Amino acid sequence: MEIALDRREIADARRSALNGLRNLITDLPRADRTAIYHQAEPFVLGEQDGSHLDSEMTGTPHPLSWARISFGTASLRGPALELAHLAAELDDEHHWVRENAIALLRTDVPSDVGDAARVLAYLPQQIALSVDPALLITHHNRTVRQAGAFLAVSHAGQHPEPSADSLKTTTTPSAAHWPRSLSFA
């Protein structure tokens, strides 16, 4: 967690540290998981975004720049949310994770949206029941729609089925989104 907390590191290294810790969290004692959960909270809220060389190494390249390395987004919110999800032990912690995952679905960072969708899909059943899959299947992001379908199947009978009209309008891609080989124009 020291590397993830160190703003002198580049965003990609901090993200890798969060992902590595996520892979190890299940083997840690409960006290350590609780401490990591609390350390992950500021990351999820975006309070730990901002790393060394962000302006040079993240985001989109400047249009006049002939060379620029991009390691993706500078946001650490998605990986931290997944870490907090795995570290959460108490219902209050799982509720906090759920609320922040729903909030993260509204961001414009695709990787954070995907991370939030995966967290929503794997919440404990009693916490996930309050997430309406019908709201997820109308999202523009494919991973969020898949999470909605997973929740709908996992908790069949707990939520009303979406109408055929809402499914038709949200899952049928417009011609603008079809690959050029499939469009008729």
Side-chain angles (χ1 to χ4, degrees):
M1 194 65 162
E2 288 180 31
I3 292 173
L5 289 166
D6 188 355
R7 289 181 188 259
R8 295 173 299 177
E9 294 285 345
I10 63 171
D12 191 51
R14 296 176 73 199
R15 188 176 308 106
S16 293
L18 290 170
N19 288 335
L21 190 53
R22 187 185 72 212
N23 293 332
L24 301 173
I25 191 98
T26 56
D27 296 331
L28 297 176
R30 182 178 179 161
D32 291 343
R33 288 194 308 267
T34 301
I36 289 170
Y37 170 84
H38 291 294
Q39 288 178 323
E41 286 179 322
F43 284 94
V44 174
L45 298 173
E47 297 169 3
Q48 286 291 328
D49 285 354
S51 302
H52 184 60
L53 299 176
D54 274 353
S55 61
E56 290 85 9
M57 301 183 83
T58 61
T60 57
H62 187 277
L64 300 177
S65 176
W66 64 272
R68 179 169 176 179
I69 298 170
S70 179
F71 288 106
T73 180
S75 174
L76 304 171
R77 294 178 72 191
L81 181 68
E82 289 191 298
L83 178 61
H85 165 64
L86 292 173
E89 298 278 338
L90 306 173
D91 281 348
D92 288 344
E93 294 170 346
H94 287 293
H95 283 288
W96 186 89
V97 167
R98 182 198 61 214
E99 294 306 314
N100 282 280
I102 290 169
L104 207 53
L105 293 177
R106 297 184 203 107
T107 68
D108 58 352
V109 179
S111 61
D112 287 349
V113 173
D115 292 338
R118 282 187 294 281
V119 165
L120 287 173
Y122 291 104
L123 285 169
Q125 183 174 359
Q126 73 275 12
I127 308 296
L129 286 175
S130 64
V131 178
D132 186 0
L135 297 176
L136 298 179
I137 63 169
T138 61
H139 199 276
H140 67 277
N141 184 289
R142 177 181 299 178
T143 306
V144 177
R145 291 193 307 266
Q146 290 171 341
F150 179 81
L151 285 171
V153 171
S154 298
H155 309 298
Q158 300 294 327
H159 297 284
E161 291 186 26
S163 68
D165 290 335
S166 71
L167 289 174
K168 186 166 75 171
T169 59
T170 59
T171 59
T172 304
S174 67
H177 294 101
W178 291 354
R180 184 172 215 112
S181 61
L182 294 179
S183 66
F184 298 102

